[in-house]
Amino acid sequence: MEAMIECDGLTKRFGNFTAVDHLNLSVERGSIFGFLGPNGSGKSTVIRMLCGILAPSEGTARIGGRDVVRESEAVKEMIGYMSQQFSLYDELTVNENLLFSGKLYSLRDKPLKQRRDQLIALTHLGPYLNRRAGLLSGGWRQRLAMACALMHQPTVLFLDEPTAGIDPVARRELWDLLFEFSGRGMTLFVTTHYMDEAERCSHVGYIHMSKLIVSGQPDELKRLPEVTPPNTRRLDVTCDHVTRALQAMREVAGVRSATVFGQSMHLLVDDSITPREIEAKLRTVGIQAPEIHDIGPSLEDVFVALTARYTNNHTGARAA
Amino acid sequence: MRRPFRGLGAILFKEFIVVWRDPMTLFFMFFPPLIEMIAFGYALDNDVRHMAMVVFNEDRTVESRQLLDRFVNTETFRIVQEVGSAKELGTEIRAGRAYVGLQIPPHFTRDLRAGRPARVQLLIDGSNSTVALQALNTAVALALTQSTEMLLKESGRTVIPVEVRPQMLYNPAMRSPNFFVPGVIGVVLQIGTTFATAMAVVRERERGTLEQLLVSPLSRWGLMLGKLIPYLCIGMLMALLLFAIMHFEFFVPIAGSIVAMIFSTLVYVFALLSLGLLVATKAVNQMQALQISMAFILPSVFFSGFIFPRETMPAIFYWIGAVLPTTYFIWLMRAIILRGATFFEYLPSLGILLGMAVLLFVVCALRFRKKIG
């Protein structure tokens, strides 16, 4: 597969603070790359460098084979960018915002109107054409921001937390659109906080404390030996009084971690522990008939495990 | 191929709509300058007339009354009160009820007739120098005139030995508006323009739309010019309105070329708007943009020659004035509007103003690129 986005030792320092530390990354054409990490971990800084609006302190990045610093003009033609705040001109109507975005990329006359009509059809913005952008609700603002970012038919689209603060229906519809774009060969680079969104991506990367800890396909990552250490397995336990059950399970030797997931809990246990032992322990706190079955790790499990390992390695290194 | 003004059309399209739909900016561009023009135009008047005078006349003769009449006839003074003691004279001035106090001693007429110096005492409130100076000059001239007349009569000569015949060029009536209003236009145009471009750019940065623009292949020249042109149009509209007020309300005649006057204004407004763009590269938020823009106004009022002649200033203030666009604009306006200067006479100042405008614009475009990194 052809790499659409490539980062090689990409680094950004602000004074003494390193916001992005030697990031190496490759994103294939047509993939949906989910970029995850806590607030302040450097996600937006990476996007800004890739979009050519922030100069890297070190390292290089290429989009479609073009260097984002030296060939920024060519890169700008290729990319679309939808920022966190859905940056729109509130004084302009929906229609005017779309026309403006097209004009910025030198679209005019007939092609401009045609492209606008296509995007209106795609995003169902039709009824709001003459409404000021400032009067739209969150979900519609997001659609308009995306339509604006797509006016010039970019081959790579960057979305910085596109679903922050919008309702679940709009969120679902946005993802449907993203899959459609990806199917047509567009490369998508999406940052998000939502694990369920991460699960939908064809590739994910996780950044923590300015360093990319892991990247790859979700299934690959879940099979990483670091995520599920040798001689352990993951169990899902569904029972009454989950919180009381959680307390009890944490007292059992051989239970490495226990987390509540709604009506059930997820355990990481040594192979030596049998479902029978768990049932017995739960009975001592008055919980009867739990349902226990094996599960694979979720992406959250992957990130939790790898972050913990990274933190341990680093504090260990510092102590030594 | 690189197009230096790429995206200009898009920015103009957007900016004209935004300006039109943002009544607050339009209001602040038009309203304060208009008010200030009217206020400055009327208030900045050096022609002091009918200033309040109190009189303590101990003489009470025909001659002393004639002297008082002479004071009143200058139209500089008007008698508001006659008091009964020298002490009251001082009190009235201290209380601010009069600027001038005139005391005529009891032996005034006797001295006059006897050929001795007939002395009168004039008290002037020195706390307002303009008024004090005018009162002093008028009173001294009045006494000199009367003395000369009497000496002529005694000596039998019919004409005075030395006579100066002044002719006031370009402002024959010595009207203050003619001197001040062209300068006022320079100052109020600055009040109404610099902040507008500064705010327009900073607002985009605050809302995150600037980032969106930078991701596009828009050129910085296109962006800067696109931000500037709509406000240039509004600024020129404003200027024409101010010139109309100057001419039809304050009756300032336009002696020189109207085209030159308008072209100089265009260059001046362009320089001011570029200064606003430069402010935007420094300011963090709209409040700061406004404050920094306003900070440039005070030097323009004091060091541009608007009120005080630059030639008499300490060197440092003189040179501060030399780098202000307002200095050259006011000079140009006085040259073109009042003196009717010809092209080659005002060319040097226009050249400097033009250079400043271009320099400011280029510097802000270059600085702007750096701010991204």
Side-chain angles (χ1 to χ4, degrees):
Chain A
M1 281 296 276
E2 180 194 352
M4 209 49 204
I5 305 173
E6 293 161 284
C7 302
D8 189 5
L10 193 65
T11 301
K12 181 68 196 181
R13 293 186 200 92
F14 296 106
N16 286 330
F17 172 68
T18 305
V20 177
D21 194 358
H22 293 89
L23 183 102
N24 297 310
L25 187 67
S26 178
V27 178
E28 290 168 7
R29 177 189 286 276
S31 60
I32 302 182
F33 183 81
F35 196 38
L36 288 98
N39 283 337
S41 56
K43 297 192 298 284
S44 296
T45 309
V46 171
I47 288 199
R48 288 192 176 123
M49 283 193 282
L50 289 175
C51 290
I53 52 176
L54 197 63
S57 312
E58 209 181 293
T60 58
R62 280 184 303 281
I63 290 180
R66 308 285 195 122
D67 188 283
V68 296
V69 177
R70 288 197 310 274
E71 298 167 279
S72 68
E73 295 308 307
V75 168
K76 283 175 176 179
E77 300 282 352
M78 280 189 283
I79 60 170
Y81 170 56
M82 183 173 144
S83 72
Q84 254 174 44
Q85 315 96 304
F86 313 144
S87 307
L88 298 164
Y89 290 99
D90 290 347
E91 298 90 343
L92 264 53
T93 63
V94 169
N95 183 36
E96 288 160 349
N97 266 295
L98 287 169
L99 291 178
F100 170 65
S101 297
K103 282 168 185 278
L104 265 184
Y105 291 85
S106 309
L107 279 176
R108 62 193 73 221
D109 306 327
K110 215 170 164 209
L112 175 64
K113 302 242 159 61
Q114 278 173 351
R115 185 65 189 152
R116 176 199 59 187
D117 294 340
Q118 280 172 13
L119 284 167
I120 289 168
L122 191 71
T123 51
H124 310 292
L125 278 163
Y128 302 102
L129 273 189
N130 293 316
R131 185 175 289 194
R132 300 261 177 102
L135 301 174
L136 293 177
S137 68
W140 288 106
R141 279 182 73 81
Q142 172 232 48
R143 278 168 195 238
L144 177 57
M146 191 170 67
C148 286
L150 290 171
M151 278 298 284
H152 62 294
Q153 296 186 283
T155 47
V156 180
L157 183 61
F158 292 92
L159 302 106
D160 198 357
E161 302 203 5
T163 54
I166 63 165
D167 65 87
V169 180
R171 195 154 84 97
R172 171 74 57 86
E173 284 171 354
L174 177 89
W175 275 92
D176 289 345
L177 279 175
L178 296 187
F179 284 121
E180 199 182 320
F181 299 151
S182 153
R184 293 186 201 163
M186 191 190 283
T187 310
L188 296 139
F189 191 103
V190 187
T191 70
T192 178
H193 278 299
Y194 298 107
M195 286 301 153
D196 62 313
E197 290 184 355
E199 300 274 2
R200 294 174 168 202
C201 296
S202 60
H203 296 74
V204 292
Y206 187 77
I207 187 169
H208 176 73
M209 307 275 282
S210 318
K211 277 193 180 289
L212 186 70
I213 290 184
V214 68
S215 81
Q217 296 178 9
D219 289 343
E220 273 170 25
L221 300 185
K222 288 173 187 170
R223 287 198 297 271
L224 285 174
E226 298 94 315
V227 174
T228 313
N231 306 319
T232 61
R233 56 184 175 146
R234 291 177 186 274
L235 297 174
D236 176 280
V237 182
T238 309
C239 59
D240 301 329
H241 312 296
V242 191
T243 16
R244 203 194 307 161
L246 190 75
Q247 290 298 332
M249 290 326 296
R250 282 183 173 163
E251 289 163 12
V252 179
V255 173
R256 298 203 180 183
S257 78
T259 322
V260 172
F261 265 81
Q263 295 300 308
S264 65
M265 44 181 187
H266 288 182
L267 305 180
L268 177 64
V269 299
D270 290 346
D271 277 342
S272 57
I273 301 232
T274 62
R276 191 157 296 185
E277 284 174 71
I278 293 170
E279 278 177 37
K281 178 68 186 176
L282 288 178
R283 220 173 289 128
T284 64
V285 292
I287 296 168
Q288 305 292 334
E291 285 174 37
I292 303 172
H293 55 264
D294 283 277
I295 49 162
S298 66
L299 266 182
E300 184 169 299
D301 293 327
V302 172
F303 296 142
V304 168
L306 292 176
T307 307
R309 208 176 77 99
Y310 175 85
T311 313
N312 282 338
N313 286 352
H314 277 252
T315 45
R318 226 170 280 143
Chain B
M1 215 196 78
R2 292 183 67 123
R3 287 148 55 202
F5 293 109
R6 179 154 188 197
L8 175 61
I11 298 290
L12 286 179
F13 163 80
K14 180 214 68 149
E15 209 66 30
F16 269 113
I17 299 177
V18 171
V19 168
W20 184 244
R21 291 193 188 149
D22 179 21
M24 278 310 266
T25 302
L26 280 182
F27 176 81
F28 279 112
M29 283 190 81
F30 272 88
F31 190 68
L34 276 180
I35 291 294
E36 277 152 59
M37 172 79 173
I38 302 282
F40 270 129
Y42 281 117
L44 280 181
D45 194 340
N46 270 347
D47 305 341
V48 184
R49 282 160 172 258
H50 308 296
M51 58 177 94
M53 179 166 85
V54 283
V55 176
F56 173 36
N57 189 352
E58 294 178 270
D59 199 35
R60 308 207 157 270
T61 56
V62 178
E63 282 83 351
S64 68
R65 292 214 185 284
Q66 276 172 350
L67 182 71
L68 289 180
D69 284 344
R70 279 171 182 268
F71 269 92
V72 174
N73 287 341
T74 59
E75 293 203 341
T76 302
F77 305 102
R78 91 193 127 93
I79 298 172
V80 288
Q81 204 189 339
E82 295 225 12
V83 295
S85 73
K87 194 167 166 262
E88 277 178 77
L89 216 53
T91 313
E92 289 300 302
I93 294 174
R94 193 172 60 244
R97 287 191 284 269
Y99 285 112
V100 180
L102 183 67
Q103 184 184 359
I104 305 175
H107 45 80
F108 174 76
T109 308
R110 242 178 302 144
D111 288 343
L112 199 64
R113 287 187 185 152
R116 287 191 298 267
R119 296 199 169 90
V120 296
Q121 168 116 47
L122 190 71
L123 303 173
I124 301 172
D125 175 4
S127 64
N128 182 332
S129 66
T130 314
V131 173
L133 210 61
Q134 174 129 9
L136 181 68
N137 288 340
T138 311
V140 169
L142 184 145
L144 268 176
T145 312
Q146 191 176 356
S147 305
T148 315
E149 279 171 17
M150 291 171 72
L151 287 172
L152 279 176
K153 212 182 281 172
E154 283 167 25
S155 68
R157 292 178 69 158
T158 51
V159 290
I160 56 170
V162 179
E163 189 181 1
V164 173
R165 294 209 153 203
Q167 188 187 353
M168 205 57 76
L169 298 173
Y170 314 126
N171 189 4
M174 288 287 282
R175 296 182 62 239
S176 281
N178 291 19
F179 179 72
F180 280 123
V181 172
V184 170
I185 291 178
V187 171
V188 301
L189 274 179
Q190 182 168 7
I191 293 171
T193 50
T194 306
F195 88 96
T197 38
M199 298 274 271
V201 174
V202 172
R203 194 185 308 138
E204 290 224 22
R205 194 182 300 140
E206 277 183 354
R207 291 194 192 166
T209 47
L210 191 62
E211 201 175 62
Q212 205 72 46
L213 293 180
L214 297 177
V215 171
S216 79
L218 166 72
S219 77
R220 57 186 142 158
W221 301 101
L223 173 61
M224 288 295 169
L225 215 52
K227 281 274 166 202
L228 199 145
I229 289 174
Y231 295 102
L232 190 62
C233 294
I234 298 171
M236 286 312 289
L237 216 64
M238 178 76 218
L240 292 180
L241 193 63
L242 294 176
F243 284 129
I245 294 175
M246 172 189 85
H247 191 64
F248 296 110
E249 174 64 26
F250 296 115
F251 305 109
V252 178
I254 301 169
S257 150
I258 292 185
V259 175
M261 177 181 89
I262 290 175
F263 181 73
S264 307
T265 310
L266 187 79
V267 175
Y268 177 57
V269 175
F270 189 95
L272 292 176
L273 293 172
S274 300
L275 180 67
L277 292 177
L278 198 60
V279 168
T281 63
K282 266 269 171 240
V284 182
N285 52 43
Q286 294 192 54
M287 194 57 172
Q288 251 189 30
L290 194 63
Q291 284 169 341
I292 300 177
S293 310
M294 292 301 153
F296 282 102
I297 290 171
L298 226 49
S300 297
V301 170
F302 289 114
F303 308 135
S304 66
F306 165 44
I307 300 175
F308 313 110
R310 288 178 62 223
E311 286 68 19
T312 59
M313 289 178 190
I316 175 157
F317 296 143
Y318 180 85
W319 288 109
I320 291 177
V323 298
L324 298 171
T326 313
T327 304
Y328 299 94
F329 178 73
I330 291 178
W331 190 93
L332 279 167
M333 288 301 108
R334 285 179 184 154
I336 296 170
I337 296 175
L338 299 182
R339 301 202 295 273
T342 59
F343 181 72
F344 288 103
E345 287 162 351
Y346 61 71
L347 186 62
S349 284
L350 184 58
I352 294 175
L353 194 58
L354 203 60
M356 282 182 163
V358 171
L359 187 73
L360 279 169
F361 185 70
V362 170
V363 167
C364 72
L366 294 179
R367 263 193 62 88
F368 191 75
R369 181 57 148 236
K370 282 185 187 156
K371 284 298 280 188
I372 308 157

